[in-house]
Amino acid sequence: MTREKPKTFHVKSFGCQMNVYDGERMAEMLAAEGMTAAEEGAEADFVVLNTCHIREKAAEKVYSDIGRLRREDGTRPMIAVAGCVAQAEGAEIPRRARDVDIVVGPQAYHRLPGLIEKAQQGEMALDTDMPAQSKFGALPDRTAQKRPTAFLTVQEGCDKFCTYCVVPYTRGAEISRPWQAIMDEAKALIDGGVREITLLGQNVNAWSVEDCKGHSQGLDGLIRALDRLPGLERIRYTTSHPNDMTDGLIAAHGEVEKLMPYLHLPVQAGSDRILKAMNRSHSAASYLTVLDKVRRVRPDIALSGDFIVGFPAETEEDFEATLQIVRDVRYAHAFSFKYSPRPGTPAATMEEQVPAAIMDERLQRLQTLLNQHQLEFNQATVGRTTTLLLERPGRLPGQLVGKSPWLQSVHVQGEGAAIGDMIEVDIVSAGPNSLHGELKKRKAA
Ligand code: SAH
Ligand code: SF4
Ligand code: F3S
């Protein structure tokens, strides 16, 4: 039985920003194929679940999501599972969820149009190849963006093999996209109205290539080149590994005006014994040295991190070392997770898995401390005058929400300002998750 080509689509992305980016590129590709994006909340003929495999909860969610796509009359859309669960579980997915028509990995989604045709013929379409030819060259050019901010993936994959993590298996080996492809994409985004670009990679600061003159370039070189593009106001990058924070990249934080004072640098744990078992290849002290260097060139930098509590054999003393590193750094923002054993990773079969109740209790103590520091960071910006890039309307009439250089959400009464504008505000109040600003009145000349 053949099925009609889908006319409308919906791409739903979970997980990290790189998945969000992939979701946007899939949507642009489906639009180039003549399909239209379904209205928010409306049913679509084709649904892509762009999944995340990082923790068990995230990975299991996809199966309940698939079930929910059945309509009341018993019909369902064409369904594709993309992203990291697709890569990790492959052919197992249609065995567990018979409604799935397509399984496509993160390095193969440029081949979606062919997979859709196959699904129309009633065949199961599976593609989890990691082709030598990168997908990027086969994707349509970027189209005009709805928002003034955009992600741009410059690096993919990971060679670090932290013992808890699935990413090296789901995303493959580290690759850096070529210089010119990145510059072309950045220019297309800027032409389409983008004023802030966030460079993405699983280890974005491991990005390195030869430039057009044959010189070896690291991420700082790319940032300096983007800094020279007219129309671009702000540059950010994420996520970084402590071992790839080169002196050149640190120096860029003190010198490149468009590079925003924000650094997401995960440490995961504060105990050297646990860091070693995690195969992080840095110590608590070497991590703190990197942050010291960054703070020396950019004293106002907002620091952010990721933490895992309850890694196998983590003792109370190890956990106390994590709390201590948090007290030493005083993060502006952080993500913290309970350790989740992942199939195929070395840590999953380690002895002394930490009981759930202890993990819960440690996570709560850690988050209380992180939340307190986040609030303190926000409160310390009250009274400052700063620039916002306005990103979206607020809930109140006339209200707009923008981001500060330190990635805080700031609410302001717009008074004629528009989304995409850069405006000067005085920060007047701060809560744990957002701040309020007042539009700065320009003094008469
Ligand atoms: N490449 C980045 C991000 C990797 S995934 C990095 O190295 O920092 C994002 C975060 O998820 C990690 O930083 C880690 O804190 C968390 N994470 C990864 N695997 C996990 C697991 N098995 N259980 C709990 N958290 C995990
Ligand atoms: Fe995972 Fe470690 Fe690679 Fe980050 S550096 S993606 S945590 S293996
Ligand atoms: Fe998740 Fe894959 Fe990103 S596992 S965090 S979507 S790289």
Side-chain angles (χ1 to χ4, degrees):
M1 194 193 76
T2 58
R3 293 166 72 174
E4 255 184 67
K5 184 176 171 182
K7 293 188 186 68
T8 59
F9 68 85
H10 185 53
V11 181
K12 210 171 157 198
S13 291
F14 306 89
C16 62
Q17 287 120 320
M18 305 198 57
N19 244 21
V20 173
Y21 173 85
D22 288 339
E24 287 169 359
R25 304 259 1 214
M26 281 187 242
E28 287 173 359
M29 185 176 51
L30 296 173
E33 288 288 306
M35 297 181 215
T36 44
E39 296 286 325
E40 199 52 55
E43 278 177 0
D45 303 332
F46 179 48
V47 175
V48 181
L49 298 172
N50 190 22
T51 59
C52 173
H53 199 245
I54 203 83
R55 283 167 290 275
E56 191 182 356
K57 238 194 218 156
E60 282 302 311
K61 191 177 164 351
V62 56
Y63 293 102
S64 53
D65 283 350
I66 293 165
R68 264 196 296 269
L69 290 172
R70 275 267 167 194
R71 303 176 185 126
E72 270 174 25
D73 63 2
T75 62
R76 61 170 179 86
M78 187 184 280
I79 300 173
V81 175
C84 290
V85 177
Q87 192 66 38
E89 297 185 3
E92 185 58 27
I93 297 171
R95 276 199 284 272
R96 265 185 77 177
R98 302 191 52 180
D99 281 355
V100 172
D101 303 286
I102 298 171
V103 174
V104 62
Q107 307 305 355
Y109 65 75
H110 56 297
R111 302 201 283 226
L112 253 182
L115 296 169
I116 294 173
E117 275 174 30
K118 211 168 162 190
Q120 283 177 256
Q121 304 307 315
E123 285 176 60
M124 174 63 219
L126 179 119
D127 191 345
T128 51
D129 277 3
M130 296 213 178
Q133 231 10 336
S134 128
K135 68 198 170 204
F136 295 106
L139 293 169
D141 289 343
R142 303 304 305 267
T143 48
Q145 302 293 302
K146 289 190 204 86
R147 290 182 302 266
T149 60
F151 292 141
L152 201 179
T153 293
V154 301
Q155 183 279 337
E156 283 210 284
C158 181
D159 296 340
K160 304 273 193 288
F161 291 94
C162 300
T163 53
Y164 50 81
C165 184
V166 293
V167 171
Y169 313 99
T170 63
R171 294 274 170 168
E174 276 181 16
I175 62 127
S176 295
R177 282 182 74 192
W179 178 277
Q180 200 53 48
I182 296 168
M183 294 307 282
D184 289 347
E185 188 170 333
K187 283 178 197 154
L189 288 168
I190 297 164
D191 288 347
V194 164
R195 310 195 78 186
E196 172 182 300
I197 290 179
T198 301
L199 304 174
L200 297 182
Q202 264 90 24
N203 283 299
V204 71
N205 56 343
W207 183 87
S208 75
V209 295
E210 279 190 0
D211 67 11
C212 47
K213 295 191 191 102
H215 301 305
S216 169
Q217 288 283 358
L219 192 68
D220 51 314
L222 182 63
I223 288 170
R224 287 177 195 274
L226 290 169
D227 183 53
R228 292 191 286 272
L229 293 183
L232 185 64
E233 303 283 352
R234 290 177 162 190
I235 304 165
R236 301 181 186 274
Y237 65 94
T238 200
T239 295
S240 299
H241 193 282
N243 290 2
D244 293 316
M245 279 314 288
T246 60
D247 288 341
L249 183 56
I250 293 172
H253 274 283
E255 292 163 11
V256 178
E257 213 175 304
K258 290 181 189 173
L259 182 58
M260 291 294 102
Y262 188 96
L263 175 63
H264 182 69
L265 197 65
V267 66
Q268 313 297 355
S271 147
D272 285 343
R273 199 177 71 85
I274 295 295
L275 288 171
K276 190 147 185 265
M278 287 177 161
N279 192 31
R280 285 293 292 180
S281 63
H282 59 76
S283 63
S286 68
Y287 174 81
L288 289 173
T289 303
V290 171
L291 293 190
D292 277 347
K293 284 190 195 170
V294 179
R295 274 186 162 147
R296 220 168 296 148
V297 298
R298 190 71 214 223
D300 71 333
I301 195 146
L303 296 169
S304 156
D306 290 349
F307 297 89
I308 296 175
V309 302
F311 185 81
E314 184 189 71
T315 63
E316 180 59 29
E317 195 185 342
D318 292 321
F319 175 65
E320 179 52 44
T322 297
L323 293 178
Q324 191 51 46
I325 210 164
V326 169
R327 287 186 207 106
D328 289 342
V329 175
R330 307 191 86 81
Y331 291 90
H333 185 248
F335 298 98
S336 47
F337 313 99
K338 280 185 277 187
Y339 167 69
S340 170
R342 307 304 295 125
T345 61
T349 50
M350 284 180 187
E351 296 190 354
E352 296 183 66
Q353 299 282 326
V354 174
I358 294 183
M359 284 206 232
D360 284 332
E361 185 263 340
R362 286 183 187 161
L363 186 66
Q364 211 172 25
R365 277 154 70 198
L366 175 62
Q367 290 186 338
T368 303
L369 189 63
L370 290 168
N371 291 343
Q372 181 194 326
H373 292 168
Q374 183 169 325
L375 178 63
E376 283 170 15
F377 182 89
N378 287 345
Q379 285 172 340
T381 50
V382 173
R384 285 179 92 140
T385 302
T386 190
T387 311
L388 300 186
L389 170 57
L390 295 174
E391 289 185 8
R392 59 184 170 89
R395 258 186 247 132
L396 304 177
Q399 194 182 51
L400 293 165
V401 186
K403 288 271 163 61
S404 76
W406 308 282
L407 208 62
Q408 300 151 301
S409 289
V410 184
H411 299 249
V412 63
Q413 282 306 120
E415 292 172 46
I419 289 170
D421 286 355
M422 303 276 296
I423 61 164
E424 287 268 289
V425 296
D426 293 322
I427 304 289
V428 292
S429 68
N433 298 312
S434 69
L435 299 86
H436 280 90
E438 271 172 15
L439 205 62
K440 189 120 180 99
K441 298 270 180 298
R442 281 192 202 91
K443 286 202 186 88

